[in-house]
Amino acid sequence: MADGGTLFLDEIGDMPLELQPKLLRALQEREIERLGGTRPILVNVRLIAATNRDLAKMVADKEFRSDLFYRLKVFPVFAPPLRERTGDIPILVRHFVSSHSRRMGKVIESIPDETMQALVRWPWPGNIRELENFLERAVILTRGPVLYVPLAELETAEEHEDRQESPTLHAAERDHILRALREAKGQIGGDEGAAAQLGLKRTTLNSKIKKLGIERSDYM
């Protein structure tokens, strides 16, 4: 079906060793055989392969064929992970928030600075897909013009060796909750309360207030 066009093979690093010679032969001979077929079929295909694994290391560890590796490495394109291009995160955050809020019929006018800083500092092991899914959930939870981001979820989403982000995440969520409490004049429950603004149940917000050490004197 890809003859005369492009074939994209994702996660090429996960291809079993026993299948790799078959792909190599198809690339070198430019021919395939259909499953159950009896004759070779010539194909002219542009192949694009992608992986998030270190193929060179896999070759050294004999987990990936060196001949296939060099056959694929005609024009390599390296895309650094999101944690290495943090300058892109604010742009992506605004894009995803705008896209999902428009789709859900919501009007979100601002993103707190401390929230954006916390998002920039998080390493995003799942890269852009993780960021988009997380922000979609944030838009769902948001009630009002200010984006509510459940930053505490990031701490439990992935066990990360470097835990320096935790204080930042705690501080950002604490500031966000304090802002909502001030806007609600200290009211937690009800349609105009802080819990409704944050898209949380009253009991959940009370639990967070206790966990984050928020006192009434902090917002009143």
Side-chain angles (χ1 to χ4, degrees):
M1 290 177 66
D3 186 29
T6 301
L7 178 65
F8 175 54
L9 298 180
D10 199 6
E11 304 298 351
I12 192 71
D14 294 337
M15 176 175 280
L17 273 170
E18 61 269 20
L19 289 182
Q20 293 176 21
K22 299 179 183 294
L23 176 60
L24 178 63
R25 180 180 179 277
L27 292 176
Q28 291 178 335
E29 304 298 329
R30 297 191 178 186
E31 64 180 30
I32 61 170
E33 288 184 12
R34 287 198 181 97
L35 185 63
T38 58
R39 62 183 180 83
I41 302 172
L42 293 176
V43 290
N44 179 19
V45 174
R46 177 193 296 108
L47 182 71
I48 299 176
T51 182
N52 62 355
R53 304 180 66 179
D54 186 344
L55 290 186
K57 184 177 184 300
M58 291 181 67
V59 169
D61 295 340
K62 301 189 183 305
E63 297 175 352
F64 199 87
R65 289 180 61 108
S66 59
D67 46 6
L68 177 58
F69 172 64
Y70 291 115
R71 187 69 185 82
L72 291 171
K73 196 180 177 183
V74 175
F75 194 90
V77 178
F78 176 69
L82 199 53
R83 65 179 176 272
E84 294 180 12
R85 45 193 175 102
T86 55
D88 291 349
I89 292 177
I91 300 171
L92 290 167
V93 169
R94 295 186 186 96
H95 167 72
F96 289 136
V97 169
S98 173
S99 174
H100 289 303
S101 60
R102 186 167 56 250
R103 179 172 59 83
M104 297 179 199
K106 295 189 174 186
V107 179
I108 298 177
E109 299 173 349
S110 64
I111 302 171
D113 290 341
E114 63 272 12
T115 297
M116 186 67 81
Q117 291 169 14
L119 294 173
V120 169
R121 286 178 60 88
W122 184 249
W124 300 108
N127 284 304
I128 292 179
R129 184 177 294 126
E130 180 189 6
L131 174 64
E132 180 178 11
N133 291 343
F134 182 73
L135 290 171
E136 183 177 9
R137 184 160 66 257
V139 171
I140 292 172
L141 293 173
T142 297
R143 296 183 182 179
V146 180
L147 181 71
Y148 168 71
V149 176
L151 294 170
E153 291 185 18
L154 294 178
E155 297 181 46
T156 56
E158 289 284 339
E159 289 297 326
H160 197 258
E161 293 180 2
D162 185 359
R163 303 300 295 171
Q164 293 179 356
E165 293 85 1
S166 296
T168 302
L169 296 174
H170 276 292
E173 182 166 47
R174 191 175 190 277
D175 289 346
H176 196 53
I177 289 175
L178 284 172
R179 180 185 285 107
L181 286 167
R182 292 185 188 113
E183 290 177 357
K185 296 181 173 56
Q187 181 180 337
I188 294 177
D191 292 341
E192 303 299 324
Q197 289 185 35
L198 296 170
L200 299 173
K201 293 181 180 178
R202 178 173 181 163
T203 53
T204 301
L205 179 55
N206 280 326
S207 176
K208 286 180 177 291
I209 288 172
K210 184 177 180 180
K211 176 185 174 183
L212 295 168
I214 295 175
E215 303 291 341
R216 187 170 179 81
S217 58
D218 293 329
Y219 56 86
M220 291 296 291

